Amino acid sequence: MSFQLGAKTAKELGLILLRSSQRPALPNTRDRLLQISGRHGSWDFGADLEARHFSLECAWVTKNAAELQVKTVELAAHLVDSYGRPRDLELRFDTRPGQYFTVRYSGSFPVERIAGLGKFSLPLVAFDPFAYGPEKIYETTITASPFSFEIDSGGNVRTQPVIVLTNAGTNTIRSFKIVNEYLVE
């Protein structure tokens, strides 16, 4: 298994991803509860997902300590912008093709060094906990009324579509109705 961080693959960064990396199936929940004195339990008002945290256990295998230091500095430069602040990067895993998380470096990554071997945990956080895929554009020409058009989202979270209507004819469109329906589970 491997990953891509920003425009660079783990191989381009000289990294080996170790098996013990933490890639949660879902992030923690932020439960909205109300506790009432004298009543057992709580009122449950639902929950939201918190930020998704990744802890990628990585290693460098280099020829010597000097080359290891160069790799460390290169990764540090890749994680921050020109002002020295952690920057947003796309995190892609080869086990989730076509999907990415927008993450940034969060925390610290002390490197355990033994000659040219360096092991560390790379802490990344996706404040938007959802994975995204490529944008899909559907175009059609409406020539009759009524007209029905179905778009299927490949994701598992309801996503509002962006609908753009353009009148290419000479007739004035007096009214139209858009219905956005979701498949009920």
Side-chain angles (χ1 to χ4, degrees):
M1 185 187 72
S2 188
F3 68 95
Q4 180 178 332
L5 186 58
K8 295 186 176 183
T9 63
K11 185 175 182 178
E12 290 171 329
L13 293 167
L15 294 172
I16 300 168
L17 183 61
L18 304 176
R19 293 184 187 269
S20 59
S21 296
Q22 298 295 313
R23 296 174 296 122
L26 285 171
N28 291 335
T29 58
R30 185 181 324 111
D31 299 314
R32 294 187 309 263
L33 303 172
L34 176 64
Q35 297 171 354
I36 298 174
S37 181
R39 182 183 182 281
H40 296 285
S42 301
W43 285 96
D44 181 9
F45 292 98
D48 296 307
L49 296 178
E50 291 189 349
R52 188 183 298 246
H53 294 267
F54 297 92
S55 180
L56 304 181
E57 298 297 325
C58 300
W60 284 297
V61 179
T62 62
K63 295 177 183 172
N64 54 46
E67 188 178 325
L68 177 59
Q69 181 60 30
V70 169
K71 292 290 186 190
T72 305
V73 170
E74 286 174 354
L75 178 59
H78 184 64
L79 296 173
V80 297
D81 63 16
S82 60
Y83 296 101
R85 293 188 179 99
R87 64 185 178 123
D88 288 343
L89 298 162
E90 286 184 5
L91 175 63
R92 298 174 183 269
F93 293 102
D94 61 357
T95 55
R96 294 184 76 160
Q99 296 182 344
Y100 67 89
F101 296 92
T102 300
V103 299
R104 76 166 171 79
Y105 167 71
S106 178
S108 65
F109 75 99
V111 180
E112 181 183 330
R113 302 164 193 250
I114 303 171
L117 173 66
K119 289 176 63 177
F120 64 95
S121 178
L122 181 60
L124 302 169
V125 62
F127 291 103
D128 178 351
F130 300 107
Y132 289 87
E135 178 181 42
K136 294 181 180 177
I137 299 175
Y138 297 94
E139 292 186 25
T140 189
T141 302
I142 301 172
T143 57
S145 179
F147 180 81
S148 179
F149 187 58
E150 188 173 311
I151 298 174
D152 183 36
S153 171
N156 59 356
V157 176
R158 292 182 180 189
T159 304
Q160 293 292 328
V162 176
I163 300 171
V164 178
L165 295 175
T166 304
N167 185 5
T170 58
N171 295 335
T172 302
I173 298 174
R174 289 191 170 77
S175 68
F176 62 89
K177 180 179 179 182
I178 297 174
V179 178
N180 188 12
E181 297 178 343
Y182 296 101
L183 181 65
V184 178
E185 299 170 3

